[in-house]
Amino acid sequence: MKEAKSRITAALCGNPNCGKSSLFNHITGLHQKISNIPGTTIDLKIGHARIDDVDVKVIDTPGTYSNQAKSKDEEVALEIFEAQNPERPDVLIYVADASNLRRNLLYFSQLASYNIPMILVLTMMDTARKRGLELDLDRLQNELGVPVLICNGRTGQGVDKLKSRLIKPAFTCHYNFVQDAENPIASAYKSIDNLLTRTTHQKSREKLFTERIDPILTHPVWGYFIFLGVLLLVFQAVFKLAEYPMELIELGFDALGIWLYDILPANWIRSILVNGVIAGLAGVVVFIPQIAILFFFMSILEDTGYMARISFIMDRILRGLGLSGKSVVPLLSGAACAIPAIMATRNIENWKDRIITILVTPLMSCSARLPVYTLLISLAVPDTYVLGIISLKALMLLAMYFVGTAASLIAALVFKFFIKQRGLSYFIMELPVYHSPRWKNIGLTVFHKSKSFVLEAGKVILIVSVFLWFLASYGPNTEEGSIKPTEIEQLESSYAGYFGKTIEPAIEPLGFNWKIGIALITSFAAREVFVGTMSTIYSVEDEENIASIRSKMQSDTHSDSGLPVYSLAVVISLMIFYAFAMQCVSTLAVVYKETKQLKWPVLQFVYMTGLAYVASFVAYQLLR
Amino acid sequence: MLLSDLKRNQLAEIKRVLPSPIQEKVMEMGCVPGTRISLALKAPLGDPIAFSVDGYYLSMRKTEAQTIEVKLVHEGS
């Protein structure tokens, strides 16, 4: 019998690593988006599927082990099950890893008490069979009173059956899971054990691939070597693979700017579009390749289960610094961009560990610093090779990455003593079974994370770029129709120029003049804007040609002494400043959004910029 | 004995989980009285430790393993 067109809401629930996301992707295909739960800032994946005449809305809730929320994400997963919640789903699809049924059924037993109809989906049956599990499916179904289906998250086998089951009437679980008030978890496990002795049978098992390979990957010596090797490989790949698309994007935006410049009449609208909006957009879009490729590799590491081992071998070291093994993912992501890195701190349960990770992550050398370092290194470091093969310039760049990493770890150690502990720091974590990457999941993760980067960073950078365009285009003495003969004169008499000169006394001890001052100010949109500003200041026609900016900067001399402005001391001081200073407004905005307290972005800005000032001062005074 | 004293190839059964702020977390991960548990992996410096419980690997810090009382089931080879 065909029903009239109707709609139902289904929620996917289950433990982390149970194959929930694969199932979600199989059910909804590409019809999914990330949206907020009303009244929160937590993003949930929501997808739609059309099954016969029914429109099914599927909510993918974050994986959790129980209904006692431990982290922010888990808290949200539970809110929607409350009876008064308007988003309360009509049916729960509970996904359980069959190879680990006992623990997977704990959360099931807790959800059963919410009296929402349920469907139990078992995944990873192949691993379960290898582990010697025999399951009486009919018996389990009868005992629970809800449909029990088997799905393969990798191949999608069984998903069609689940889909057609989804639109039939569903039932609430009638198995009596005991939850005595005194010891709810132990008693729930007791009733799960009773259920499992009646419905499963344990045979002898074979040794799993995971059990053979883990002693090597977590080995006291080889473990770290392998981790370092993987890290080097990933970053090498990120920079190499991103080079070409980044170049194309830059060329594309240049062409767009020139085209708009030609077709629009010469007025402020043209100026704001070309020098504000287009320049701002280019600054965001150019990082998409690097960030997408980094996300790609990070998702592979996470999806295969290796990331959990990295956390495992790094926890003892990071704990001493006030961080946790789980800080590894944010810190590594920070080497591409601090924005997604800070969003990735959400799965650190402990508040103090999370805050410290957020505070120190922007010290990791992000990719926006790369163009700045490249220009400055080419100014000061000669084209020589150490031992005949290692470029001195590459070595210098590596040193800057080292400086950033060391600074973030030292800063963490300092914060460890100043930030009060809230709750307990713990590292009770499942080490999931290794499996080959699920490419569809990885593809979708990369897409969604890149998208949220563009939206989060994009709007802030755009606003700041337009504001900076205003500062650089108008000055206190700008008159209507006044013509400045050159760009540099216009910049000099603009607000930005005045600011540059105003802060000159403050930055002089660091070796910086007012021109650098302007670049420091414009860098607040994004650090790489430094290069563009320098090319404007030195009236370079071809902005893309670093060599021409470099030669102009190199020939700049002090008018009184005749010595070059960009001496080694100034260049080193400037690089140190860019390594430490908090010059990224989008990151500050994300920190505020994630912590919901103004004091954290403020503290971050003050400590990082203060550190930059002091370190640059010391470097310049020692080297000059 | 405490779970943190468990050696390789020894099989133990959990006797009780001592009261602590992580008691509930430990238990919901499957470590309730009566559960069989064995040592699977030790991170460098012997901390954290991964145990095999319910057929999966559960990692915890040494101090966290000290909140779980176990009794030896057999010594192993």
Side-chain angles (χ1 to χ4, degrees), chain A residues 220-265:
Chain A
V221 180
W222 302 125
Y224 291 111
F225 269 110
I226 294 167
F227 173 43
L228 252 163
V230 168
L231 213 59
L232 279 175
L233 220 68
V234 166
F235 279 96
Q236 181 75 11
V238 166
F239 290 123
K240 274 282 164 238
L241 293 175
E243 235 168 56
Y244 189 64
M246 283 174 91
E247 228 164 81
L248 274 182
I249 290 167
E250 278 173 359
L251 288 176
F253 272 99
D254 282 349
L256 182 66
I258 291 167
W259 178 71
L260 279 175
Y261 194 85
D262 286 340
I263 61 158
L264 292 173

Side-chain angles (χ1 to χ4, degrees), chain A residues 6 177 202 256 424 445 447 468 483 602:
Chain A
S6 60
F177 289 108
Q202 192 68 39
L256 182 66
L424 203 78
T445 308
F447 174 74
L468 287 173
I483 297 156
V602 169

Side-chain angles (χ1 to χ4, degrees), chain A residues 14-15 31 105-106 227 237 245 260 289 291 312 316 319 329 334 336 381 469 488-489 494 514 528-529 533 535 562 601:
Chain A
N15 288 179
H31 307 286
L105 283 178
L106 176 70
F227 173 43
L260 279 175
I291 284 167
F312 181 68
R316 185 66 194 85
R319 200 190 321 161
V329 180
V381 180
W469 163 84
I488 178 64
E489 278 176 41
S494 70
W514 67 270
E528 81 280 5
V529 171
T533 308
S535 67

Side-chain angles (χ1 to χ4, degrees), chain A residues 208-221:
Chain A
L208 294 174
F209 173 69
T210 299
E211 291 159 341
R212 277 191 296 247
I213 199 161
D214 257 342
I216 304 165
L217 291 181
T218 61
H219 188 272
V221 180

